[in-house]
Structure formats: structure tokens, C-alpha cells
Amino acid sequence: MTDANTALHADATRPSRREQILRAAAQLFAERGSRAVGVDDVGAAVGVTGPAIYRHFASKDAMLAEMLLRISERLLEGGTSRVADAGDDPLAQLRTLIAFQVDFALDNPALITVHDRDLGSLADDDAAQVRRLQRRYVEVWVDVLGRVHPESDVATNRARAHAVFGLVNSTPHSAGRLPRGRTAALLAAMAEAAATAATA
């Protein structure tokens, strides 16, 4: 099984010390909430003293901001490139987006939890940047769904996209109940059914 929170790594097989710190912080933030975790806790998780963390990050808030910005950038870049690689068939584009989101959710459950719980803890400028990136990622989905459902308006397709995110990003609650391959297949099938369902 893939190590958790690989979206934080440029190279998942050789994470840098900075990336190791972010991964440990993500796990601790997911378990306890960012406000209940100290720099010393993060340092202990990666085998360094708390003060050594400050060589990489100015503060705990800086760790939180970087992890949420990184995953937002990774989603936007990954989704955009996969749609471009999928060819002109809208259903193929949708399926590759779904597979990408499913893999992300299964590989990064702690990051999903941290995002849901701690986005509101970011400084205003950082939160605004994360939300801008996320809106752009949603619009990648909306564009594809518009080609799958040319009869639907943008608001309906945006609602479809968010419904799929809610389904797929439920993995922090459901992961581990089935083998990964079966979980991925189940999520992908359910997401496709939801995304392709016609409106009444």
C-alpha cells in the first residue's frame, strides 16, 4: 500500500526532510487537530528536536499553510494534465478525473481530514490562495461535466462535481474496510454513476 500523504512529496520514494516534517504534521493534525499539536510533537515524530523544525518552517501555521497549498496545487496540476491526456471523449475525461481523485483520496486521508477541519485556521491570505486553487480545480470538473451533460447548466454541473468530491473524499471514514483495489473500484463506480446521472 502507498505511504499516506504522498501528495506532499515531489518524489514519494525519497521525501526530503521538509516533506517528512509535513507528512508527520499532517498525520498529527488529522489525529488531534492542528491547535492541539505543538512543534515539539512534530519534531518527535520525525526524530528531531522541536527547535530543529524552525530550520524548515517559521511556525506551525506555516506547516499547515504549505500542506494545504501543496495539495491544492497538486490536484489542479494533476487534474488538468489527466484531462489533456485523455483525448476528446468526455466520458474518458470524466473517468480519468474520477480515477485521479480516488487515488488522491486513498493515498492522502490525513490531508483530507486536515483540510476539512483546519482550513479555517489559515491566515486570510493563505486561505484565499487555497480557495482560488480549489475553485480552479472544481472548474476542471465542471468543464468536463459540461461535455458529458451538454443539456445541463453550469450550476448543476458544479453541484455534480461537489457531490462526487463528497463521495470520494469520504475515505478517512471508510478506508481499510476493504482491500485498496476493491475500495478504489467501488468508489470509482459510485462516482461515475453519480456524475453521469441525469437530472429529473
Side-chain angles (χ1 to χ4, degrees):
M1 184 171 176
T2 308
D3 288 341
N5 309 316
T6 54
L8 296 172
H9 305 155
D11 179 353
T13 62
R14 298 180 61 190
S16 67
R17 173 61 82 184
R18 185 182 185 88
E19 290 167 342
Q20 290 171 1
I21 291 167
L22 280 178
R23 181 168 66 179
Q27 194 62 45
L28 290 170
F29 291 175
E31 291 169 1
R32 306 181 202 170
S34 63
R35 292 302 169 218
V37 175
V39 171
D40 287 342
D41 298 320
V42 178
V46 292
V48 301
T49 62
I53 298 290
Y54 291 112
R55 295 190 207 125
H56 301 277
F57 295 96
S59 66
K60 184 178 64 175
D61 288 344
M63 289 182 224
L64 178 62
E66 182 162 333
M67 72 177 67
L68 294 184
L69 284 166
R70 276 198 190 200
I71 63 170
S72 300
E73 290 166 350
R74 190 68 57 91
L75 283 168
L76 177 58
E77 291 165 5
T80 301
S81 67
R82 279 161 180 75
V83 170
D85 292 343
D88 295 329
D89 179 14
L91 191 55
Q93 294 173 349
L94 177 63
R95 285 173 174 158
T96 198
L97 267 181
I98 288 171
F100 170 63
Q101 185 68 33
V102 166
D103 281 341
F104 178 88
L106 289 173
D107 289 344
N108 300 280
L111 289 170
I112 291 171
T113 298
V114 172
H115 173 273
D116 288 347
R117 186 166 52 201
D118 292 321
L119 177 59
S121 298
L122 288 181
D124 289 346
D125 288 348
D126 291 328
Q129 189 174 354
V130 168
R131 290 191 175 99
R132 278 194 297 271
L133 291 165
Q134 290 175 343
R135 282 194 295 271
R136 290 174 61 193
Y137 179 56
V138 170
E139 292 312 304
V140 173
W141 282 76
V142 171
D143 287 347
V144 170
L145 287 165
R147 292 188 283 276
V148 174
H149 297 280
E151 76 289 352
S152 292
D153 59 26
V154 171
T156 300
N157 287 324
R158 191 170 291 117
R160 280 190 174 102
H162 284 289
V164 171
F165 296 152
L167 190 159
V168 174
N169 291 347
S170 67
T171 50
H173 308 290
S174 61
R177 298 176 186 272
L178 294 172
R180 182 196 164 95
R182 287 178 61 193
T183 301
L186 178 63
L187 286 171
M190 292 176 69
E192 183 175 334
T196 56
T199 56

